Amino acid sequence: MTGRDGTGRGGRRGRSSRVAARTAGPVLSAEQPTPRRRIPPYELLDDGALTRLESHADWILDEIGVEFRGDDEALELFRAAGARVDGVRVRFDPGLARELCATAPNRFALWGRDGRRVEIGGDHVVFTPVYGPPFVTDLDRGRRYATIADFENFVKLTWMSPWLAHGSGTVCEPVDVAVNKRHLDMVDAHLRWSAKPFMGAVTAPERAEDSIAMARIVFDSAFGADFMDTHCVIQGNVNVNSPLVWDDTMSGALKAYARANQGCLISPFIIGGGMGPVTQPALIAQAHAEAMTGIALTQLVRPGSPMIYGNFLTTMDLRSGAPTFGTAESSLATYAIGQLARRLGLPFRCGGHYTASKIADAQAMQESADAMTPGLLAGANFILQAAGWLEGGLTVGYEKFVMDADRCGMLHRLLEGLTIDDNELGGAAFSEAGPGGNYLATAHTMANFESANFEAALCDTRSFEQWSEEGALDMAQRANQQWKQMLAAYEPPPPLDPAADRELQAFVEDRKASVPDAWY
């Protein structure tokens, strides 16, 4: 048993080995462990307030409308479904958008290429890494443009983390690869260096189609032809061009995934005072309206295609225009949007460890914790940006990545809630130790000490003297050591089938050779 200062049976070495086993090894279980919510979501608003928000979203769609630019197919689908189409503006009678969303499933499964199944919806909660930064940073080299080598590193770190059940998508932008070809290398990396579910490209409809085709090569080989017609293995992360605009890039990618019966996260991206009114209830209604229009389009393309109701709603510094994170206002909005998603009957996505800080410092942890916790308590099923986010999403930090992932482990434990049974009530410990006794040596403590409390890999609870003797490292420095150790210990998933591997490589090579490099 380990004492408070790290001494005693097993000592620091025993604890370190248990932490290493939990953080350095790949997850190879056929069923990807995800936390099950055993704590209730926070209900901020009563039925009257929620009905008022839903009615205001209907008013926005009825009176203001949403534009679908450059997508005649979407306009015709909405017209045929009863919406009022005037040029590129689409207006919906009250209740129509909600009705069109009704065929989207309230829960579904994502599949990895090794057969793992990740449940989306219900009481399941899935944590995923950062998405989209063009820069990376670490303590050794500082901030710099991301490369495909960085991208592969983060795919591997995600694979090694037991707390991240999903690989995200563009974990960082590999700017050393041409814009029109990098999606091929990114999807290949997800398929090759991990077996967790992941997201493909959305930056052009044809890139979405490429992503789906690459996944099909691997999954049809592993599970038989047409597997993807009935199983979701890849998703797109699709943003509305708030306020109230869909362009043909986003709607085209959305339709590509829906036609293939694959999933999307449909997320309005709204910064209050910029892409919507400054007041939170207005933003909440706008976000609800925008999300419903995207989900409705997917259901017109293929009823039953699996979608996640997404949300990215935050505040800004109204003096400078800079986005702000972890604020009281954005937290309140998250609670309300979670309630609206449950009333719509769809899995709910919100953001994770957001921060405007440039490095993994106190500001980063304060903002990240204050952004993540409301999402968890709001009832989120899918938390994107759960590991690595810095600088308002412009940078992914190696140290921040493992610090956030470690906190995701703590949140797994929080979601478990409390079990009230004979063992947890510890009657035997009271009987053995009695008044004034020492509970460290009781049989109950010996039987439960490894599982009673979550042991964070990066927190240091040793005495000042021990900490000083081992270098007086702060958490960022310890995180620097950890991500390097994880990459050194990386063990890949089972290899791709050789025939599928050859076909996948040929597909990538052919697609790259078919067009010249474009850097825009």
Short mmCIF file of all heavy atoms in Angstrom, two decimals, residues 133-185:
data_model
loop_
_atom_site.label_atom_id
_atom_site.label_comp_id
_atom_site.label_asym_id
_atom_site.label_seq_id
_atom_site.Cartn_x
_atom_site.Cartn_y
_atom_site.Cartn_z
N PRO A 133 -6.20 22.56 -35.50
CA PRO A 133 -5.15 23.58 -35.38
C PRO A 133 -4.07 23.46 -36.47
O PRO A 133 -3.60 22.36 -36.75
CB PRO A 133 -4.54 23.31 -34.00
CG PRO A 133 -5.59 22.55 -33.26
CD PRO A 133 -6.28 21.72 -34.30
N PRO A 134 -3.64 24.59 -37.03
CA PRO A 134 -2.52 24.55 -37.99
C PRO A 134 -1.15 24.58 -37.33
O PRO A 134 -0.14 24.36 -38.00
CB PRO A 134 -2.74 25.83 -38.81
CG PRO A 134 -3.41 26.77 -37.85
CD PRO A 134 -4.28 25.91 -36.98
N PHE A 135 -1.11 24.86 -36.02
CA PHE A 135 0.16 24.95 -35.30
C PHE A 135 0.22 23.88 -34.21
O PHE A 135 -0.80 23.41 -33.71
CB PHE A 135 0.33 26.32 -34.64
CG PHE A 135 0.36 27.47 -35.60
CD1 PHE A 135 -0.77 28.23 -35.81
CD2 PHE A 135 1.51 27.78 -36.30
CE1 PHE A 135 -0.76 29.30 -36.69
CE2 PHE A 135 1.55 28.85 -37.19
CZ PHE A 135 0.40 29.61 -37.39
N VAL A 136 1.45 23.49 -33.87
CA VAL A 136 1.70 22.63 -32.72
C VAL A 136 2.73 23.33 -31.83
O VAL A 136 3.45 24.23 -32.28
CB VAL A 136 2.22 21.23 -33.12
CG1 VAL A 136 1.21 20.50 -34.00
CG2 VAL A 136 3.57 21.32 -33.82
N THR A 137 2.78 22.89 -30.58
CA THR A 137 3.79 23.44 -29.69
C THR A 137 4.20 22.39 -28.68
O THR A 137 3.41 21.50 -28.34
CB THR A 137 3.28 24.71 -28.96
OG1 THR A 137 4.37 25.34 -28.28
CG2 THR A 137 2.19 24.38 -27.96
N ASP A 138 5.45 22.47 -28.23
CA ASP A 138 5.92 21.67 -27.10
C ASP A 138 7.04 22.44 -26.41
O ASP A 138 7.51 23.47 -26.92
CB ASP A 138 6.37 20.27 -27.54
CG ASP A 138 7.52 20.27 -28.52
OD1 ASP A 138 8.57 20.86 -28.20
OD2 ASP A 138 7.40 19.67 -29.60
N LEU A 139 7.45 21.94 -25.27
CA LEU A 139 8.47 22.66 -24.49
C LEU A 139 9.83 22.66 -25.16
O LEU A 139 10.66 23.53 -24.88
CB LEU A 139 8.58 22.04 -23.10
CG LEU A 139 7.39 22.20 -22.17
CD1 LEU A 139 7.69 21.58 -20.81
CD2 LEU A 139 6.99 23.66 -22.02
N ASP A 140 10.08 21.71 -26.04
CA ASP A 140 11.40 21.60 -26.65
C ASP A 140 11.57 22.52 -27.85
O ASP A 140 12.60 23.17 -28.00
CB ASP A 140 11.65 20.15 -27.08
CG ASP A 140 11.52 19.18 -25.94
OD1 ASP A 140 12.28 19.31 -24.97
OD2 ASP A 140 10.62 18.31 -25.99
N ARG A 141 10.55 22.59 -28.70
CA ARG A 141 10.70 23.30 -29.98
C ARG A 141 9.81 24.52 -30.09
O ARG A 141 9.93 25.29 -31.05
CB ARG A 141 10.43 22.34 -31.13
CG ARG A 141 11.39 21.16 -31.20
CD ARG A 141 10.96 20.14 -32.25
NE ARG A 141 10.90 20.72 -33.58
CZ ARG A 141 10.34 20.13 -34.63
NH1 ARG A 141 9.79 18.93 -34.49
NH2 ARG A 141 10.33 20.72 -35.81
N GLY A 142 8.90 24.71 -29.15
CA GLY A 142 8.03 25.87 -29.20
C GLY A 142 6.95 25.75 -30.27
O GLY A 142 6.69 24.68 -30.82
N ARG A 143 6.33 26.87 -30.58
CA ARG A 143 5.21 26.91 -31.53
C ARG A 143 5.73 26.89 -32.96
O ARG A 143 6.66 27.62 -33.31
CB ARG A 143 4.39 28.18 -31.30
CG ARG A 143 3.14 28.34 -32.16
CD ARG A 143 2.47 29.64 -31.74
NE ARG A 143 1.22 29.91 -32.42
CZ ARG A 143 1.09 30.60 -33.55
NH1 ARG A 143 2.19 31.05 -34.16
NH2 ARG A 143 -0.10 30.85 -34.07
N ARG A 144 5.12 26.09 -33.80
CA ARG A 144 5.55 25.94 -35.19
C ARG A 144 4.39 25.39 -36.00
O ARG A 144 3.41 24.88 -35.45
CB ARG A 144 6.75 24.98 -35.26
CG ARG A 144 6.43 23.58 -34.74
CD ARG A 144 7.67 22.76 -34.51
NE ARG A 144 7.35 21.38 -34.09
CZ ARG A 144 7.07 21.02 -32.85
NH1 ARG A 144 7.09 21.93 -31.87
NH2 ARG A 144 6.79 19.76 -32.56
N TYR A 145 4.51 25.47 -37.32
CA TYR A 145 3.49 24.86 -38.18
C TYR A 145 3.51 23.34 -38.01
O TYR A 145 4.58 22.72 -37.90
CB TYR A 145 3.73 25.22 -39.65
CG TYR A 145 3.19 26.58 -40.03
CD1 TYR A 145 4.05 27.64 -40.29
CD2 TYR A 145 1.82 26.78 -40.14
CE1 TYR A 145 3.56 28.89 -40.65
CE2 TYR A 145 1.31 28.02 -40.49
CZ TYR A 145 2.18 29.07 -40.75
OH TYR A 145 1.68 30.30 -41.09
N ALA A 146 2.32 22.76 -38.03
CA ALA A 146 2.20 21.31 -37.90
C ALA A 146 2.62 20.62 -39.19
O ALA A 146 2.48 21.17 -40.29
CB ALA A 146 0.77 20.93 -37.55
N THR A 147 3.12 19.41 -39.06
CA THR A 147 3.51 18.59 -40.21
C THR A 147 2.77 17.26 -40.16
O THR A 147 2.12 16.93 -39.16
CB THR A 147 5.02 18.32 -40.19
OG1 THR A 147 5.32 17.50 -39.03
CG2 THR A 147 5.83 19.61 -40.12
N ILE A 148 2.92 16.47 -41.20
CA ILE A 148 2.29 15.15 -41.20
C ILE A 148 2.90 14.26 -40.12
O ILE A 148 2.23 13.39 -39.56
CB ILE A 148 2.38 14.49 -42.60
CG1 ILE A 148 1.48 13.24 -42.66
CG2 ILE A 148 3.81 14.17 -42.96
CD1 ILE A 148 0.01 13.49 -42.46
N ALA A 149 4.17 14.50 -39.77
CA ALA A 149 4.78 13.74 -38.68
C ALA A 149 4.09 14.07 -37.35
O ALA A 149 3.85 13.17 -36.53
CB ALA A 149 6.28 14.03 -38.60
N ASP A 150 3.77 15.34 -37.13
CA ASP A 150 3.02 15.71 -35.94
C ASP A 150 1.64 15.06 -35.94
O ASP A 150 1.18 14.54 -34.91
CB ASP A 150 2.85 17.24 -35.85
CG ASP A 150 4.15 17.97 -35.57
OD1 ASP A 150 4.80 17.64 -34.55
OD2 ASP A 150 4.52 18.85 -36.35
N PHE A 151 1.00 15.09 -37.09
CA PHE A 151 -0.33 14.47 -37.19
C PHE A 151 -0.26 13.00 -36.79
O PHE A 151 -1.08 12.51 -35.99
CB PHE A 151 -0.85 14.60 -38.62
CG PHE A 151 -2.26 14.11 -38.79
CD1 PHE A 151 -3.33 14.99 -38.68
CD2 PHE A 151 -2.54 12.78 -39.05
CE1 PHE A 151 -4.63 14.55 -38.82
CE2 PHE A 151 -3.84 12.33 -39.18
CZ PHE A 151 -4.89 13.22 -39.07
N GLU A 152 0.71 12.28 -37.32
CA GLU A 152 0.85 10.86 -36.98
C GLU A 152 1.15 10.68 -35.49
O GLU A 152 0.66 9.73 -34.86
CB GLU A 152 1.94 10.23 -37.84
CG GLU A 152 1.55 10.15 -39.31
CD GLU A 152 2.69 9.67 -40.20
OE1 GLU A 152 3.83 9.53 -39.68
OE2 GLU A 152 2.45 9.43 -41.40
N ASN A 153 1.93 11.58 -34.92
CA ASN A 153 2.21 11.49 -33.48
C ASN A 153 0.93 11.58 -32.66
O ASN A 153 0.73 10.82 -31.71
CB ASN A 153 3.16 12.61 -33.05
CG ASN A 153 4.61 12.33 -33.39
OD1 ASN A 153 4.99 11.19 -33.69
ND2 ASN A 153 5.44 13.35 -33.36
N PHE A 154 0.06 12.52 -33.02
CA PHE A 154 -1.17 12.68 -32.24
C PHE A 154 -2.14 11.53 -32.46
O PHE A 154 -2.88 11.15 -31.55
CB PHE A 154 -1.82 14.03 -32.54
CG PHE A 154 -1.11 15.18 -31.87
CD1 PHE A 154 -0.44 16.13 -32.62
CD2 PHE A 154 -1.10 15.29 -30.49
CE1 PHE A 154 0.22 17.18 -32.00
CE2 PHE A 154 -0.44 16.34 -29.86
CZ PHE A 154 0.23 17.28 -30.62
N VAL A 155 -2.15 10.95 -33.65
CA VAL A 155 -2.94 9.74 -33.86
C VAL A 155 -2.44 8.63 -32.95
O VAL A 155 -3.23 7.90 -32.32
CB VAL A 155 -2.90 9.30 -35.34
CG1 VAL A 155 -3.53 7.91 -35.52
CG2 VAL A 155 -3.62 10.32 -36.22
N LYS A 156 -1.13 8.50 -32.84
CA LYS A 156 -0.55 7.46 -32.00
C LYS A 156 -0.81 7.73 -30.52
O LYS A 156 -1.12 6.80 -29.75
CB LYS A 156 0.96 7.36 -32.27
CG LYS A 156 1.29 6.82 -33.66
CD LYS A 156 2.79 6.86 -33.93
CE LYS A 156 3.10 6.35 -35.33
NZ LYS A 156 4.56 6.43 -35.64
N LEU A 157 -0.69 8.99 -30.09
CA LEU A 157 -0.96 9.31 -28.70
C LEU A 157 -2.42 9.03 -28.35
O LEU A 157 -2.73 8.55 -27.25
CB LEU A 157 -0.63 10.78 -28.42
CG LEU A 157 0.85 11.15 -28.38
CD1 LEU A 157 1.02 12.66 -28.33
CD2 LEU A 157 1.55 10.49 -27.19
N THR A 158 -3.31 9.31 -29.28
CA THR A 158 -4.73 9.00 -29.05
C THR A 158 -4.95 7.51 -28.93
O THR A 158 -5.69 7.03 -28.07
CB THR A 158 -5.58 9.58 -30.19
OG1 THR A 158 -5.36 10.99 -30.29
CG2 THR A 158 -7.06 9.31 -29.96
N TRP A 159 -4.31 6.75 -29.80
CA TRP A 159 -4.42 5.29 -29.74
C TRP A 159 -3.92 4.76 -28.40
O TRP A 159 -4.49 3.82 -27.84
CB TRP A 159 -3.62 4.68 -30.89
CG TRP A 159 -3.45 3.19 -30.84
CD1 TRP A 159 -2.28 2.51 -30.68
CD2 TRP A 159 -4.47 2.20 -30.94
NE1 TRP A 159 -2.50 1.16 -30.68
CE2 TRP A 159 -3.84 0.94 -30.83
CE3 TRP A 159 -5.85 2.25 -31.09
CZ2 TRP A 159 -4.55 -0.27 -30.89
CZ3 TRP A 159 -6.56 1.05 -31.14
CH2 TRP A 159 -5.91 -0.18 -31.04
N MET A 160 -2.90 5.39 -27.85
CA MET A 160 -2.31 4.91 -26.60
C MET A 160 -3.13 5.32 -25.38
O MET A 160 -2.94 4.76 -24.30
CB MET A 160 -0.88 5.46 -26.45
CG MET A 160 0.07 5.03 -27.56
SD MET A 160 0.43 3.28 -27.53
CE MET A 160 1.71 3.24 -26.27
N SER A 161 -4.00 6.30 -25.51
CA SER A 161 -4.74 6.78 -24.35
C SER A 161 -6.01 5.98 -24.13
O SER A 161 -6.85 5.88 -25.04
CB SER A 161 -5.11 8.25 -24.52
OG SER A 161 -5.98 8.66 -23.47
N PRO A 162 -6.21 5.41 -22.95
CA PRO A 162 -7.46 4.69 -22.68
C PRO A 162 -8.64 5.62 -22.46
O PRO A 162 -9.78 5.16 -22.41
CB PRO A 162 -7.13 3.92 -21.40
CG PRO A 162 -6.12 4.75 -20.70
CD PRO A 162 -5.29 5.37 -21.79
N TRP A 163 -8.40 6.91 -22.34
CA TRP A 163 -9.47 7.85 -22.01
C TRP A 163 -10.07 8.50 -23.25
O TRP A 163 -11.10 9.17 -23.15
CB TRP A 163 -8.95 8.93 -21.07
CG TRP A 163 -8.16 8.38 -19.93
CD1 TRP A 163 -6.88 8.70 -19.58
CD2 TRP A 163 -8.58 7.39 -18.97
NE1 TRP A 163 -6.48 7.99 -18.48
CE2 TRP A 163 -7.50 7.17 -18.08
CE3 TRP A 163 -9.75 6.66 -18.78
CZ2 TRP A 163 -7.58 6.25 -17.03
CZ3 TRP A 163 -9.83 5.75 -17.73
CH2 TRP A 163 -8.75 5.56 -16.87
N LEU A 164 -9.46 8.32 -24.41
CA LEU A 164 -9.95 8.89 -25.66
C LEU A 164 -10.43 7.75 -26.54
O LEU A 164 -9.63 6.98 -27.07
CB LEU A 164 -8.85 9.69 -26.36
CG LEU A 164 -8.23 10.82 -25.53
CD1 LEU A 164 -7.01 11.40 -26.24
CD2 LEU A 164 -9.25 11.90 -25.23
N ALA A 165 -11.75 7.63 -26.69
CA ALA A 165 -12.32 6.49 -27.41
C ALA A 165 -12.43 6.72 -28.90
O ALA A 165 -12.77 5.82 -29.65
CB ALA A 165 -13.71 6.16 -26.85
N HIS A 166 -12.12 7.92 -29.35
CA HIS A 166 -12.33 8.33 -30.75
C HIS A 166 -11.12 9.13 -31.18
O HIS A 166 -10.54 9.88 -30.40
CB HIS A 166 -13.60 9.17 -30.81
CG HIS A 166 -14.09 9.52 -32.18
ND1 HIS A 166 -13.44 10.43 -32.98
CD2 HIS A 166 -15.18 9.12 -32.86
CE1 HIS A 166 -14.12 10.56 -34.12
NE2 HIS A 166 -15.18 9.78 -34.07
N GLY A 167 -10.72 8.99 -32.44
CA GLY A 167 -9.49 9.61 -32.92
C GLY A 167 -9.61 11.04 -33.39
O GLY A 167 -8.62 11.62 -33.82
N SER A 168 -10.84 11.64 -33.36
CA SER A 168 -11.08 12.95 -33.92
C SER A 168 -10.83 12.89 -35.44
O SER A 168 -10.96 11.82 -36.05
CB SER A 168 -10.23 14.02 -33.24
OG SER A 168 -10.57 15.32 -33.70
N GLY A 169 -10.48 13.99 -36.04
CA GLY A 169 -10.26 14.02 -37.48
C GLY A 169 -8.97 14.72 -37.81
O GLY A 169 -7.88 14.15 -37.73
N THR A 170 -9.06 16.01 -38.13
CA THR A 170 -7.87 16.81 -38.41
C THR A 170 -7.26 17.22 -37.07
O THR A 170 -7.44 18.35 -36.60
CB THR A 170 -8.23 18.03 -39.26
OG1 THR A 170 -8.94 17.60 -40.42
CG2 THR A 170 -6.99 18.80 -39.68
N VAL A 171 -6.54 16.30 -36.44
CA VAL A 171 -5.99 16.57 -35.12
C VAL A 171 -5.04 17.77 -35.18
O VAL A 171 -4.90 18.51 -34.22
CB VAL A 171 -5.27 15.32 -34.56
CG1 VAL A 171 -4.98 15.49 -33.08
CG2 VAL A 171 -6.10 14.08 -34.79
N CYS A 172 -4.38 17.94 -36.30
CA CYS A 172 -3.67 19.17 -36.63
C CYS A 172 -3.58 19.21 -38.15
O CYS A 172 -3.69 18.18 -38.82
CB CYS A 172 -2.28 19.24 -35.98
SG CYS A 172 -1.15 17.90 -36.47
N GLU A 173 -3.41 20.40 -38.70
CA GLU A 173 -3.30 20.55 -40.16
C GLU A 173 -1.86 20.30 -40.59
O GLU A 173 -0.97 21.09 -40.24
CB GLU A 173 -3.72 21.95 -40.58
CG GLU A 173 -5.22 22.19 -40.59
CD GLU A 173 -5.89 21.63 -41.84
OE1 GLU A 173 -5.19 21.13 -42.73
OE2 GLU A 173 -7.13 21.71 -41.89
N PRO A 174 -1.59 19.23 -41.35
CA PRO A 174 -0.21 19.00 -41.81
C PRO A 174 0.12 19.91 -42.98
O PRO A 174 -0.09 19.58 -44.14
CB PRO A 174 -0.25 17.52 -42.24
CG PRO A 174 -1.68 17.26 -42.61
CD PRO A 174 -2.52 18.17 -41.76
N VAL A 175 0.65 21.08 -42.66
CA VAL A 175 0.81 22.11 -43.68
C VAL A 175 1.98 21.82 -44.63
O VAL A 175 2.18 22.58 -45.59
CB VAL A 175 0.98 23.50 -43.03
CG1 VAL A 175 -0.23 23.87 -42.20
CG2 VAL A 175 2.24 23.54 -42.16
N ASP A 176 2.73 20.75 -44.38
CA ASP A 176 3.78 20.38 -45.33
C ASP A 176 3.23 19.53 -46.48
O ASP A 176 4.00 19.11 -47.36
CB ASP A 176 4.92 19.64 -44.62
CG ASP A 176 4.46 18.42 -43.82
OD1 ASP A 176 3.25 18.35 -43.47
OD2 ASP A 176 5.30 17.55 -43.54
N VAL A 177 1.93 19.26 -46.48
CA VAL A 177 1.29 18.51 -47.55
C VAL A 177 0.29 19.45 -48.23
O VAL A 177 -0.39 20.24 -47.57
CB VAL A 177 0.55 17.27 -47.01
CG1 VAL A 177 -0.08 16.47 -48.16
CG2 VAL A 177 1.51 16.40 -46.20
N ALA A 178 0.19 19.38 -49.56
CA ALA A 178 -0.70 20.26 -50.31
C ALA A 178 -2.13 20.18 -49.77
O ALA A 178 -2.60 19.10 -49.38
CB ALA A 178 -0.67 19.89 -51.79
N VAL A 179 -2.82 21.30 -49.76
CA VAL A 179 -4.16 21.37 -49.18
C VAL A 179 -5.10 20.37 -49.83
O VAL A 179 -5.89 19.71 -49.16
CB VAL A 179 -4.72 22.81 -49.31
CG1 VAL A 179 -6.20 22.86 -48.93
CG2 VAL A 179 -3.91 23.77 -48.47
N ASN A 180 -5.02 20.23 -51.15
CA ASN A 180 -5.96 19.36 -51.85
C ASN A 180 -5.58 17.88 -51.77
O ASN A 180 -6.30 17.04 -52.31
CB ASN A 180 -6.08 19.79 -53.32
CG ASN A 180 -4.77 19.65 -54.09
OD1 ASN A 180 -3.68 19.74 -53.51
ND2 ASN A 180 -4.86 19.45 -55.40
N LYS A 181 -4.48 17.56 -51.07
CA LYS A 181 -4.06 16.17 -50.96
C LYS A 181 -3.85 15.70 -49.52
O LYS A 181 -3.74 14.50 -49.26
CB LYS A 181 -2.76 15.95 -51.76
CG LYS A 181 -2.92 16.24 -53.24
CD LYS A 181 -1.62 16.07 -54.01
CE LYS A 181 -1.83 16.40 -55.49
NZ LYS A 181 -0.59 16.25 -56.28
N ARG A 182 -3.80 16.64 -48.58
CA ARG A 182 -3.48 16.24 -47.22
C ARG A 182 -4.54 15.36 -46.59
O ARG A 182 -4.24 14.58 -45.69
CB ARG A 182 -3.19 17.48 -46.36
CG ARG A 182 -4.36 18.39 -46.11
CD ARG A 182 -4.00 19.60 -45.25
NE ARG A 182 -2.94 20.43 -45.81
CZ ARG A 182 -2.76 21.71 -45.51
NH1 ARG A 182 -3.59 22.30 -44.64
NH2 ARG A 182 -1.78 22.40 -46.05
N HIS A 183 -5.79 15.48 -47.05
CA HIS A 183 -6.83 14.62 -46.48
C HIS A 183 -6.53 13.15 -46.71
O HIS A 183 -6.87 12.30 -45.90
CB HIS A 183 -8.20 14.98 -47.06
CG HIS A 183 -8.36 14.67 -48.52
ND1 HIS A 183 -7.75 15.42 -49.51
CD2 HIS A 183 -9.04 13.69 -49.16
CE1 HIS A 183 -8.07 14.92 -50.70
NE2 HIS A 183 -8.85 13.87 -50.51
N LEU A 184 -5.86 12.84 -47.81
CA LEU A 184 -5.51 11.44 -48.12
C LEU A 184 -4.52 10.90 -47.10
O LEU A 184 -4.66 9.78 -46.60
CB LEU A 184 -4.94 11.35 -49.53
CG LEU A 184 -5.88 11.81 -50.66
CD1 LEU A 184 -5.11 12.03 -51.94
CD2 LEU A 184 -7.01 10.80 -50.86
N ASP A 185 -3.52 11.72 -46.77
CA ASP A 185 -2.52 11.29 -45.78
C ASP A 185 -3.12 11.22 -44.38
O ASP A 185 -2.75 10.35 -43.58
CB ASP A 185 -1.34 12.25 -45.79
CG ASP A 185 -0.48 12.12 -47.04
OD1 ASP A 185 -0.53 11.05 -47.68
OD2 ASP A 185 0.22 13.09 -47.39
#
